[in-house]
Amino acid sequence: MITFDIITLFPNLFNEHLNNLPFKKAIQKGLIKVNLHNLRDYALNSYGMVDDKPYGGGTGMVLMIEPIYKALENIENKQHTILMSPSGKKFDQNKVKELKNLNQITLICGRYEGVDARVEKYLCDESLSIGNYVLSGGELPALVIMESITRLLPGILEKEDASSKESFENDTLEHPQYTRPEDFKGWIVPEVLLSGNHKEIEKWKEENSKKISDTDN
Ligand code: SAM
C-alpha cells in the first residue's frame, strides 16, 4: 500500500480525479491511500497567511517555509518528500518505477511565484518537473505523478501484461492501435492487422513500435 500525502492550497482540485479510475479502484482495493492536507490549515495567522513578498524584490508572492514545515510535521511515517517544481528533475517512466516501490510519498504543490527555496533544500528528498513549461500550481503535476504510479500497481490495469507492452517499457514507444470500423471515410486499417496471421501481426507491431521510437524523442 502506498500512502500519498498531498500538501496543497487547493485540495478540491483532487476530488474528481480520486473518484475516477485508476484512483477509485486503487483506493477500493486498498492499494493506495490519499491524504489531502490543506496548507491554509497551517497558516501563520487568522488571515490565513501562507505566502509573502520575495526578498530582493520581484513580482508575485512566494509560499513561506513555516506553514509547509508545520504541515509536514503533521504527516505520519514520512518516507519520501517531493517538491513539484518546473526546475526539478524531469519526471519519466523510470522514476515512476522507482517511486512505486515506496510505502509513503509526500507531494508539495507550489503556487504563485513558487516556494521558498529552503523547502527544497531542507525539507525535501527531491524536486520533480513534469516538463519544460510553467503551470499555475503543483496540483496537476502531483496528479500526474500519482496516476502514473497508481496504474502500475498490481490489479489496476485490465490485462496483466498491459503495462509491460506500453510506451516507455524497454525504451520503446507502443505501436499504433486501431479499432472498428476497418474503413472510415476511406481511411483504412493496415491490412496485416486484419489478416489473422499472428506472426505477421507481431512483426508489424515490432516494426512500427521501432519506427515511432526512432522518430519521436
Ligand atoms: N516562478 C516559477 C518559475 O519561474 O520557475 C514558477 C512558479 S509556478 C507559477 C507555481 C508552482 O507550480 C510551482 O512552484 C510548482 O509547484 C508548480 N509547477 C509549475 N510548473 C510545473 C512543472 N512543469 N512541473 C512541476 N511543477 C510545476
Side-chain angles (χ1 to χ4, degrees), residues 62-126:
V62 174
L63 289 183
M64 304 164 89
I65 189 169
E66 192 174 341
I68 295 176
Y69 182 88
K70 289 203 285 183
L72 283 169
E73 261 191 335
N74 207 38
I75 295 172
E76 286 170 6
N77 303 319
K78 278 193 298 298
Q79 192 181 8
H80 195 74
T81 302
I82 308 172
L83 176 69
M84 304 298 103
S85 168
S87 59
K89 187 174 176 231
K90 203 69 57 64
F91 184 63
D92 64 14
Q93 195 69 9
N94 288 332
K95 181 55 81 174
V96 179
K97 287 187 212 156
E98 186 188 315
L99 294 176
K100 86 173 179 20
N101 298 319
L102 297 171
N103 297 317
Q104 191 279 343
I105 300 171
T106 303
L107 300 168
I108 302 175
C109 306
R111 274 275 157 176
Y112 315 127
E113 276 310 304
V115 179
D116 186 309
R118 288 168 291 185
V119 169
E120 178 178 357
K121 184 164 182 195
Y122 297 108
L123 303 180
C124 294
D125 296 295
E126 62 179 333

Short mmCIF file of all heavy atoms in Angstrom, two decimals, residues 62-126:
data_model
loop_
_atom_site.label_atom_id
_atom_site.label_comp_id
_atom_site.label_asym_id
_atom_site.label_seq_id
_atom_site.Cartn_x
_atom_site.Cartn_y
_atom_site.Cartn_z
N VAL A 62 5.50 34.39 -2.68
CA VAL A 62 6.21 33.11 -2.55
C VAL A 62 5.64 32.37 -1.33
O VAL A 62 5.42 32.98 -0.28
CB VAL A 62 7.72 33.39 -2.35
CG1 VAL A 62 8.48 32.10 -2.06
CG2 VAL A 62 8.30 34.10 -3.56
N LEU A 63 5.40 31.07 -1.48
CA LEU A 63 4.90 30.29 -0.34
C LEU A 63 5.99 30.22 0.72
O LEU A 63 7.16 29.92 0.44
CB LEU A 63 4.51 28.88 -0.78
CG LEU A 63 3.24 28.75 -1.63
CD1 LEU A 63 2.94 27.28 -1.92
CD2 LEU A 63 2.04 29.41 -0.97
N MET A 64 5.61 30.49 1.97
CA MET A 64 6.57 30.56 3.09
C MET A 64 6.93 29.15 3.57
O MET A 64 6.13 28.22 3.45
CB MET A 64 5.95 31.34 4.24
CG MET A 64 5.51 32.72 3.84
SD MET A 64 4.39 33.40 5.07
CE MET A 64 5.56 34.18 6.15
N ILE A 65 8.12 29.05 4.19
CA ILE A 65 8.58 27.73 4.65
C ILE A 65 7.79 27.24 5.88
O ILE A 65 7.49 26.06 6.00
CB ILE A 65 10.10 27.71 4.91
CG1 ILE A 65 10.56 26.27 5.18
CG2 ILE A 65 10.51 28.65 6.01
CD1 ILE A 65 12.07 26.09 5.19
N GLU A 66 7.42 28.17 6.78
CA GLU A 66 6.86 27.72 8.07
C GLU A 66 5.55 26.93 7.95
O GLU A 66 5.43 25.86 8.56
CB GLU A 66 6.72 28.91 9.03
CG GLU A 66 6.44 28.42 10.44
CD GLU A 66 6.44 29.54 11.47
OE1 GLU A 66 6.99 30.63 11.21
OE2 GLU A 66 5.85 29.31 12.55
N PRO A 67 4.57 27.41 7.17
CA PRO A 67 3.34 26.60 7.04
C PRO A 67 3.63 25.22 6.44
O PRO A 67 3.04 24.21 6.88
CB PRO A 67 2.46 27.43 6.10
CG PRO A 67 2.98 28.83 6.22
CD PRO A 67 4.46 28.70 6.46
N ILE A 68 4.56 25.15 5.50
CA ILE A 68 4.88 23.86 4.88
C ILE A 68 5.57 22.95 5.91
O ILE A 68 5.27 21.77 6.02
CB ILE A 68 5.75 24.06 3.61
CG1 ILE A 68 4.93 24.80 2.54
CG2 ILE A 68 6.26 22.72 3.08
CD1 ILE A 68 5.68 25.15 1.29
N TYR A 69 6.47 23.55 6.69
CA TYR A 69 7.15 22.79 7.76
C TYR A 69 6.13 22.20 8.72
O TYR A 69 6.19 21.01 9.09
CB TYR A 69 8.12 23.72 8.50
CG TYR A 69 8.92 23.04 9.58
CD1 TYR A 69 10.13 22.42 9.29
CD2 TYR A 69 8.45 23.02 10.89
CE1 TYR A 69 10.86 21.77 10.28
CE2 TYR A 69 9.18 22.37 11.89
CZ TYR A 69 10.38 21.76 11.58
OH TYR A 69 11.08 21.12 12.56
N LYS A 70 5.15 23.03 9.10
CA LYS A 70 4.14 22.58 10.06
C LYS A 70 3.24 21.49 9.45
O LYS A 70 2.88 20.53 10.12
CB LYS A 70 3.29 23.77 10.53
CG LYS A 70 4.06 24.71 11.43
CD LYS A 70 3.16 25.55 12.34
CE LYS A 70 2.48 26.65 11.58
NZ LYS A 70 1.66 27.54 12.37
N ALA A 71 2.92 21.64 8.18
CA ALA A 71 2.09 20.61 7.51
C ALA A 71 2.86 19.29 7.47
O ALA A 71 2.29 18.22 7.72
CB ALA A 71 1.74 21.07 6.09
N LEU A 72 4.16 19.37 7.19
CA LEU A 72 4.98 18.14 7.13
C LEU A 72 5.08 17.47 8.50
O LEU A 72 5.03 16.25 8.61
CB LEU A 72 6.39 18.47 6.62
CG LEU A 72 6.52 18.71 5.11
CD1 LEU A 72 7.89 19.30 4.80
CD2 LEU A 72 6.30 17.43 4.32
N GLU A 73 5.17 18.30 9.53
CA GLU A 73 5.27 17.77 10.91
C GLU A 73 4.05 16.93 11.26
O GLU A 73 4.12 16.02 12.08
CB GLU A 73 5.34 18.95 11.89
CG GLU A 73 6.73 19.27 12.34
CD GLU A 73 6.69 20.26 13.50
OE1 GLU A 73 5.70 21.01 13.63
OE2 GLU A 73 7.65 20.27 14.27
N ASN A 74 2.93 17.26 10.63
CA ASN A 74 1.66 16.60 10.95
C ASN A 74 1.47 15.29 10.16
O ASN A 74 0.48 14.60 10.36
CB ASN A 74 0.54 17.58 10.60
CG ASN A 74 -0.69 17.33 11.41
OD1 ASN A 74 -0.59 17.01 12.59
ND2 ASN A 74 -1.84 17.44 10.77
N ILE A 75 2.41 14.98 9.27
CA ILE A 75 2.27 13.77 8.45
C ILE A 75 3.05 12.62 9.11
O ILE A 75 4.23 12.76 9.41
CB ILE A 75 2.78 14.02 7.01
CG1 ILE A 75 1.89 15.05 6.33
CG2 ILE A 75 2.82 12.71 6.20
CD1 ILE A 75 2.39 15.53 4.99
N GLU A 76 2.33 11.51 9.31
CA GLU A 76 2.96 10.36 9.99
C GLU A 76 3.73 9.48 9.01
O GLU A 76 3.36 9.38 7.85
CB GLU A 76 1.88 9.51 10.66
CG GLU A 76 1.32 10.15 11.90
CD GLU A 76 0.09 9.43 12.41
OE1 GLU A 76 -0.24 8.37 11.85
OE2 GLU A 76 -0.52 9.94 13.34
N ASN A 77 4.73 8.81 9.50
CA ASN A 77 5.50 7.82 8.73
C ASN A 77 5.98 8.32 7.37
O ASN A 77 5.85 7.64 6.36
CB ASN A 77 4.66 6.55 8.52
CG ASN A 77 4.21 5.98 9.84
OD1 ASN A 77 4.97 5.94 10.80
ND2 ASN A 77 2.96 5.55 9.89
N LYS A 78 6.54 9.54 7.36
CA LYS A 78 7.05 10.09 6.10
C LYS A 78 8.23 9.25 5.61
O LYS A 78 9.11 8.90 6.38
CB LYS A 78 7.53 11.53 6.30
CG LYS A 78 6.43 12.55 6.26
CD LYS A 78 6.97 13.95 6.16
CE LYS A 78 7.84 14.36 7.32
NZ LYS A 78 7.13 14.37 8.61
N GLN A 79 8.21 8.96 4.30
CA GLN A 79 9.32 8.20 3.73
C GLN A 79 10.06 8.99 2.65
O GLN A 79 11.28 8.98 2.58
CB GLN A 79 8.79 6.89 3.14
CG GLN A 79 9.87 5.90 2.79
CD GLN A 79 9.34 4.62 2.19
OE1 GLN A 79 8.15 4.49 1.89
NE2 GLN A 79 10.22 3.66 1.99
N HIS A 80 9.28 9.69 1.79
CA HIS A 80 9.90 10.38 0.67
C HIS A 80 9.11 11.65 0.37
O HIS A 80 7.90 11.58 0.13
CB HIS A 80 9.91 9.45 -0.55
CG HIS A 80 10.83 9.89 -1.64
ND1 HIS A 80 12.20 9.79 -1.56
CD2 HIS A 80 10.57 10.47 -2.83
CE1 HIS A 80 12.74 10.26 -2.67
NE2 HIS A 80 11.77 10.68 -3.46
N THR A 81 9.80 12.79 0.37
CA THR A 81 9.11 14.07 0.17
C THR A 81 9.59 14.73 -1.13
O THR A 81 10.79 14.89 -1.35
CB THR A 81 9.37 15.00 1.38
OG1 THR A 81 8.90 14.34 2.56
CG2 THR A 81 8.64 16.33 1.23
N ILE A 82 8.60 15.10 -1.96
CA ILE A 82 8.93 15.64 -3.29
C ILE A 82 8.27 17.01 -3.47
O ILE A 82 7.08 17.17 -3.23
CB ILE A 82 8.41 14.71 -4.42
CG1 ILE A 82 8.89 13.27 -4.20
CG2 ILE A 82 8.86 15.22 -5.78
CD1 ILE A 82 8.26 12.26 -5.17
N LEU A 83 9.08 17.97 -3.93
CA LEU A 83 8.53 19.29 -4.27
C LEU A 83 8.21 19.31 -5.76
O LEU A 83 9.05 18.90 -6.58
CB LEU A 83 9.55 20.39 -3.95
CG LEU A 83 9.14 21.81 -4.35
CD1 LEU A 83 7.97 22.31 -3.48
CD2 LEU A 83 10.32 22.76 -4.25
N MET A 84 7.01 19.78 -6.12
CA MET A 84 6.69 19.97 -7.54
C MET A 84 7.35 21.27 -7.97
O MET A 84 7.09 22.32 -7.36
CB MET A 84 5.16 20.09 -7.73
CG MET A 84 4.33 18.95 -7.20
SD MET A 84 4.74 17.44 -8.02
CE MET A 84 5.73 16.67 -6.79
N SER A 85 8.17 21.21 -9.02
CA SER A 85 8.89 22.42 -9.41
C SER A 85 9.28 22.36 -10.88
O SER A 85 9.80 21.33 -11.33
CB SER A 85 10.15 22.56 -8.56
OG SER A 85 10.99 23.54 -9.09
N PRO A 86 9.08 23.46 -11.65
CA PRO A 86 9.50 23.44 -13.06
C PRO A 86 11.01 23.26 -13.20
O PRO A 86 11.49 22.85 -14.26
CB PRO A 86 9.07 24.81 -13.60
CG PRO A 86 8.34 25.50 -12.53
CD PRO A 86 8.45 24.72 -11.25
N SER A 87 11.76 23.57 -12.13
CA SER A 87 13.22 23.43 -12.24
C SER A 87 13.71 22.10 -11.66
O SER A 87 14.91 21.86 -11.56
CB SER A 87 13.91 24.59 -11.53
OG SER A 87 13.53 24.60 -10.18
N GLY A 88 12.77 21.21 -11.30
CA GLY A 88 13.17 19.91 -10.75
C GLY A 88 13.67 18.95 -11.81
O GLY A 88 13.71 19.28 -13.00
N LYS A 89 14.04 17.76 -11.35
CA LYS A 89 14.48 16.71 -12.27
C LYS A 89 13.29 16.28 -13.14
O LYS A 89 12.17 16.19 -12.64
CB LYS A 89 14.99 15.53 -11.44
CG LYS A 89 15.62 14.45 -12.27
CD LYS A 89 16.24 13.37 -11.41
CE LYS A 89 16.77 12.28 -12.32
NZ LYS A 89 16.37 10.95 -12.02
N LYS A 90 13.55 16.02 -14.42
CA LYS A 90 12.46 15.67 -15.33
C LYS A 90 11.87 14.31 -14.97
O LYS A 90 12.58 13.32 -14.88
CB LYS A 90 12.99 15.68 -16.77
CG LYS A 90 11.94 15.88 -17.85
CD LYS A 90 11.31 17.27 -17.88
CE LYS A 90 12.30 18.37 -18.05
NZ LYS A 90 13.03 18.37 -19.28
N PHE A 91 10.54 14.31 -14.76
CA PHE A 91 9.82 13.10 -14.38
C PHE A 91 9.69 12.18 -15.59
O PHE A 91 9.34 12.63 -16.67
CB PHE A 91 8.43 13.51 -13.87
CG PHE A 91 7.61 12.38 -13.34
CD1 PHE A 91 8.03 11.67 -12.24
CD2 PHE A 91 6.41 12.05 -13.92
CE1 PHE A 91 7.27 10.62 -11.73
CE2 PHE A 91 5.63 11.02 -13.43
CZ PHE A 91 6.07 10.30 -12.33
N ASP A 92 9.98 10.89 -15.41
CA ASP A 92 9.82 9.94 -16.51
C ASP A 92 9.43 8.55 -15.98
O ASP A 92 9.31 8.35 -14.77
CB ASP A 92 11.09 9.86 -17.38
CG ASP A 92 12.29 9.34 -16.61
OD1 ASP A 92 12.11 8.79 -15.50
OD2 ASP A 92 13.41 9.47 -17.12
N GLN A 93 9.27 7.60 -16.90
CA GLN A 93 8.76 6.28 -16.52
C GLN A 93 9.73 5.53 -15.59
O GLN A 93 9.30 4.73 -14.76
CB GLN A 93 8.45 5.45 -17.78
CG GLN A 93 7.61 4.22 -17.56
CD GLN A 93 6.15 4.51 -17.18
OE1 GLN A 93 5.69 5.64 -17.22
NE2 GLN A 93 5.42 3.48 -16.80
N ASN A 94 11.01 5.80 -15.72
CA ASN A 94 11.97 5.16 -14.79
C ASN A 94 11.75 5.65 -13.36
O ASN A 94 11.83 4.87 -12.41
CB ASN A 94 13.42 5.46 -15.20
CG ASN A 94 13.79 4.69 -16.46
OD1 ASN A 94 13.24 3.62 -16.71
ND2 ASN A 94 14.68 5.24 -17.25
N LYS A 95 11.43 6.93 -13.24
CA LYS A 95 11.15 7.49 -11.90
C LYS A 95 9.85 6.88 -11.36
O LYS A 95 9.74 6.59 -10.16
CB LYS A 95 11.07 9.02 -12.00
CG LYS A 95 10.81 9.74 -10.71
CD LYS A 95 11.78 9.44 -9.58
CE LYS A 95 13.06 10.20 -9.65
NZ LYS A 95 13.92 9.98 -8.44
N VAL A 96 8.87 6.66 -12.25
CA VAL A 96 7.61 6.03 -11.81
C VAL A 96 7.91 4.67 -11.19
O VAL A 96 7.42 4.34 -10.10
CB VAL A 96 6.64 5.82 -13.01
CG1 VAL A 96 5.35 5.15 -12.55
CG2 VAL A 96 6.32 7.14 -13.69
N LYS A 97 8.73 3.88 -11.89
CA LYS A 97 9.04 2.52 -11.40
C LYS A 97 9.79 2.56 -10.07
O LYS A 97 9.62 1.69 -9.23
CB LYS A 97 9.87 1.78 -12.45
CG LYS A 97 9.03 1.38 -13.65
CD LYS A 97 9.86 0.51 -14.56
CE LYS A 97 9.46 0.71 -15.99
NZ LYS A 97 10.51 0.37 -16.93
N GLU A 98 10.63 3.57 -9.91
CA GLU A 98 11.37 3.72 -8.65
C GLU A 98 10.40 4.09 -7.52
O GLU A 98 10.42 3.48 -6.44
CB GLU A 98 12.39 4.85 -8.88
CG GLU A 98 13.36 5.10 -7.78
CD GLU A 98 14.17 6.37 -8.09
OE1 GLU A 98 14.64 6.57 -9.24
OE2 GLU A 98 14.30 7.19 -7.16
N LEU A 99 9.52 5.04 -7.77
CA LEU A 99 8.63 5.54 -6.71
C LEU A 99 7.57 4.52 -6.31
O LEU A 99 7.10 4.52 -5.18
CB LEU A 99 7.95 6.85 -7.16
CG LEU A 99 8.88 8.06 -7.35
CD1 LEU A 99 8.08 9.25 -7.88
CD2 LEU A 99 9.59 8.44 -6.06
N LYS A 100 7.20 3.64 -7.25
CA LYS A 100 6.10 2.71 -6.94
C LYS A 100 6.50 1.67 -5.87
O LYS A 100 5.65 1.00 -5.31
CB LYS A 100 5.58 2.03 -8.21
CG LYS A 100 6.32 0.79 -8.66
CD LYS A 100 5.55 0.19 -9.80
CE LYS A 100 6.07 -1.02 -10.45
NZ LYS A 100 6.99 -1.94 -9.93
N ASN A 101 7.78 1.60 -5.55
CA ASN A 101 8.24 0.67 -4.50
C ASN A 101 8.18 1.26 -3.10
O ASN A 101 8.46 0.57 -2.12
CB ASN A 101 9.68 0.23 -4.80
CG ASN A 101 9.76 -0.50 -6.12
OD1 ASN A 101 8.88 -1.30 -6.42
ND2 ASN A 101 10.77 -0.21 -6.92
N LEU A 102 7.84 2.56 -3.01
CA LEU A 102 7.80 3.19 -1.69
C LEU A 102 6.47 2.93 -0.98
O LEU A 102 5.48 2.56 -1.62
CB LEU A 102 8.00 4.71 -1.85
CG LEU A 102 9.34 5.15 -2.43
CD1 LEU A 102 9.32 6.64 -2.74
CD2 LEU A 102 10.48 4.82 -1.47
N ASN A 103 6.45 3.13 0.34
CA ASN A 103 5.20 2.98 1.11
C ASN A 103 4.50 4.31 1.34
O ASN A 103 3.31 4.35 1.59
CB ASN A 103 5.49 2.37 2.49
CG ASN A 103 6.07 0.98 2.34
OD1 ASN A 103 5.59 0.21 1.53
ND2 ASN A 103 7.09 0.69 3.12
N GLN A 104 5.29 5.39 1.29
CA GLN A 104 4.70 6.71 1.57
C GLN A 104 5.41 7.75 0.73
O GLN A 104 6.65 7.76 0.64
CB GLN A 104 4.82 7.05 3.06
CG GLN A 104 4.02 8.27 3.52
CD GLN A 104 4.72 9.60 3.21
OE1 GLN A 104 5.92 9.66 2.93
NE2 GLN A 104 3.97 10.69 3.24
N ILE A 105 4.61 8.65 0.11
CA ILE A 105 5.18 9.73 -0.70
C ILE A 105 4.43 11.02 -0.35
O ILE A 105 3.20 11.06 -0.39
CB ILE A 105 5.02 9.45 -2.21
CG1 ILE A 105 5.74 8.16 -2.60
CG2 ILE A 105 5.53 10.63 -3.05
CD1 ILE A 105 5.45 7.68 -4.02
N THR A 106 5.18 12.06 -0.01
CA THR A 106 4.57 13.38 0.22
C THR A 106 4.85 14.25 -1.00
O THR A 106 6.00 14.33 -1.46
CB THR A 106 5.16 14.06 1.47
OG1 THR A 106 4.98 13.20 2.60
CG2 THR A 106 4.50 15.40 1.74
N LEU A 107 3.79 14.88 -1.53
CA LEU A 107 3.95 15.75 -2.69
C LEU A 107 3.57 17.18 -2.28
O LEU A 107 2.46 17.41 -1.80
CB LEU A 107 3.04 15.28 -3.83
CG LEU A 107 3.31 13.85 -4.33
CD1 LEU A 107 2.19 13.37 -5.24
CD2 LEU A 107 4.65 13.76 -5.05
N ILE A 108 4.51 18.11 -2.44
CA ILE A 108 4.24 19.51 -2.06
C ILE A 108 3.93 20.31 -3.32
O ILE A 108 4.74 20.37 -4.25
CB ILE A 108 5.46 20.13 -1.32
CG1 ILE A 108 5.80 19.30 -0.07
CG2 ILE A 108 5.18 21.58 -0.95
CD1 ILE A 108 7.06 19.75 0.65
N CYS A 109 2.74 20.90 -3.35
CA CYS A 109 2.30 21.66 -4.52
C CYS A 109 2.55 23.15 -4.31
O CYS A 109 1.97 23.75 -3.40
CB CYS A 109 0.81 21.45 -4.75
SG CYS A 109 0.34 19.72 -4.87
N GLY A 110 3.40 23.72 -5.13
CA GLY A 110 3.65 25.16 -5.07
C GLY A 110 2.51 25.92 -5.74
O GLY A 110 1.66 25.34 -6.41
N ARG A 111 2.51 27.23 -5.54
CA ARG A 111 1.54 28.14 -6.18
C ARG A 111 2.20 29.50 -6.35
O ARG A 111 3.30 29.72 -5.86
CB ARG A 111 0.28 28.30 -5.34
CG ARG A 111 -0.75 27.23 -5.60
CD ARG A 111 -1.65 27.58 -6.79
NE ARG A 111 -2.27 26.40 -7.39
CZ ARG A 111 -3.15 26.44 -8.38
NH1 ARG A 111 -3.52 27.59 -8.91
NH2 ARG A 111 -3.63 25.33 -8.88
N TYR A 112 1.55 30.40 -7.00
CA TYR A 112 2.00 31.79 -7.19
C TYR A 112 3.40 31.81 -7.84
O TYR A 112 3.64 31.14 -8.82
CB TYR A 112 1.96 32.56 -5.85
CG TYR A 112 0.66 32.29 -5.10
CD1 TYR A 112 0.65 31.85 -3.77
CD2 TYR A 112 -0.57 32.43 -5.75
CE1 TYR A 112 -0.55 31.59 -3.11
CE2 TYR A 112 -1.77 32.16 -5.10
CZ TYR A 112 -1.75 31.74 -3.77
OH TYR A 112 -2.90 31.45 -3.14
N GLU A 113 4.36 32.56 -7.22
CA GLU A 113 5.70 32.62 -7.84
C GLU A 113 6.56 31.41 -7.48
O GLU A 113 7.69 31.27 -7.94
CB GLU A 113 6.41 33.90 -7.41
CG GLU A 113 6.06 35.12 -8.23
CD GLU A 113 6.17 34.90 -9.73
OE1 GLU A 113 7.26 34.50 -10.20
OE2 GLU A 113 5.17 35.11 -10.42
N GLY A 114 6.02 30.56 -6.62
CA GLY A 114 6.78 29.37 -6.24
C GLY A 114 6.89 29.25 -4.73
O GLY A 114 6.06 29.77 -3.98
N VAL A 115 7.95 28.55 -4.30
CA VAL A 115 8.09 28.14 -2.90
C VAL A 115 9.45 28.62 -2.39
O VAL A 115 10.44 28.55 -3.13
CB VAL A 115 8.02 26.60 -2.83
CG1 VAL A 115 8.18 26.09 -1.43
CG2 VAL A 115 6.71 26.09 -3.44
N ASP A 116 9.52 29.08 -1.15
CA ASP A 116 10.80 29.46 -0.53
C ASP A 116 11.82 28.34 -0.79
O ASP A 116 11.55 27.15 -0.51
CB ASP A 116 10.58 29.64 0.98
CG ASP A 116 11.81 30.19 1.69
OD1 ASP A 116 12.91 29.61 1.50
OD2 ASP A 116 11.69 31.16 2.44
N ALA A 117 12.98 28.71 -1.32
CA ALA A 117 13.97 27.72 -1.76
C ALA A 117 14.44 26.79 -0.64
O ALA A 117 14.93 25.68 -0.90
CB ALA A 117 15.18 28.42 -2.38
N ARG A 118 14.29 27.22 0.62
CA ARG A 118 14.72 26.38 1.73
C ARG A 118 13.85 25.13 1.89
O ARG A 118 14.27 24.15 2.48
CB ARG A 118 14.73 27.20 3.03
CG ARG A 118 15.87 28.21 3.05
CD ARG A 118 15.72 29.20 4.17
NE ARG A 118 14.59 30.10 3.96
CZ ARG A 118 14.30 31.13 4.74
NH1 ARG A 118 15.04 31.38 5.80
NH2 ARG A 118 13.26 31.91 4.49
N VAL A 119 12.63 25.17 1.33
CA VAL A 119 11.76 23.99 1.40
C VAL A 119 12.42 22.85 0.64
O VAL A 119 12.54 21.72 1.14
CB VAL A 119 10.35 24.30 0.82
CG1 VAL A 119 9.54 23.02 0.63
CG2 VAL A 119 9.62 25.28 1.73
N GLU A 120 12.89 23.15 -0.58
CA GLU A 120 13.54 22.10 -1.37
C GLU A 120 14.83 21.64 -0.70
O GLU A 120 15.09 20.44 -0.57
CB GLU A 120 13.84 22.62 -2.79
CG GLU A 120 14.55 21.58 -3.63
CD GLU A 120 14.82 22.03 -5.06
OE1 GLU A 120 14.42 23.14 -5.44
OE2 GLU A 120 15.47 21.25 -5.79
N LYS A 121 15.62 22.61 -0.22
CA LYS A 121 16.94 22.27 0.32
C LYS A 121 16.87 21.48 1.63
O LYS A 121 17.60 20.50 1.82
CB LYS A 121 17.75 23.55 0.52
CG LYS A 121 19.16 23.27 0.97
CD LYS A 121 20.06 24.46 0.82
CE LYS A 121 21.47 24.08 1.26
NZ LYS A 121 22.30 25.25 1.46
N TYR A 122 15.97 21.90 2.54
CA TYR A 122 16.00 21.31 3.88
C TYR A 122 14.86 20.33 4.18
O TYR A 122 14.97 19.53 5.10
CB TYR A 122 15.97 22.41 4.94
CG TYR A 122 17.20 23.30 4.87
CD1 TYR A 122 17.11 24.60 4.38
CD2 TYR A 122 18.45 22.83 5.26
CE1 TYR A 122 18.24 25.42 4.29
CE2 TYR A 122 19.58 23.64 5.18
CZ TYR A 122 19.47 24.92 4.70
OH TYR A 122 20.58 25.72 4.60
N LEU A 123 13.78 20.40 3.39
CA LEU A 123 12.61 19.59 3.76
C LEU A 123 12.28 18.50 2.75
O LEU A 123 11.39 17.68 3.00
CB LEU A 123 11.38 20.49 3.97
CG LEU A 123 11.51 21.62 5.00
CD1 LEU A 123 10.21 22.41 5.08
CD2 LEU A 123 11.86 21.05 6.37
N CYS A 124 12.94 18.51 1.58
CA CYS A 124 12.55 17.56 0.53
C CYS A 124 13.69 16.61 0.18
O CYS A 124 14.86 16.93 0.33
CB CYS A 124 12.15 18.32 -0.75
SG CYS A 124 10.66 19.28 -0.50
N ASP A 125 13.30 15.43 -0.31
CA ASP A 125 14.29 14.48 -0.81
C ASP A 125 14.66 14.80 -2.26
O ASP A 125 15.77 14.50 -2.70
CB ASP A 125 13.74 13.05 -0.73
CG ASP A 125 13.50 12.67 0.72
OD1 ASP A 125 14.48 12.58 1.45
OD2 ASP A 125 12.33 12.50 1.11
N GLU A 126 13.70 15.36 -3.00
CA GLU A 126 13.98 15.73 -4.39
C GLU A 126 12.89 16.66 -4.88
O GLU A 126 11.83 16.81 -4.25
CB GLU A 126 14.07 14.49 -5.30
CG GLU A 126 12.80 13.68 -5.38
CD GLU A 126 12.94 12.48 -6.31
OE1 GLU A 126 13.75 12.51 -7.24
OE2 GLU A 126 12.21 11.50 -6.08
#
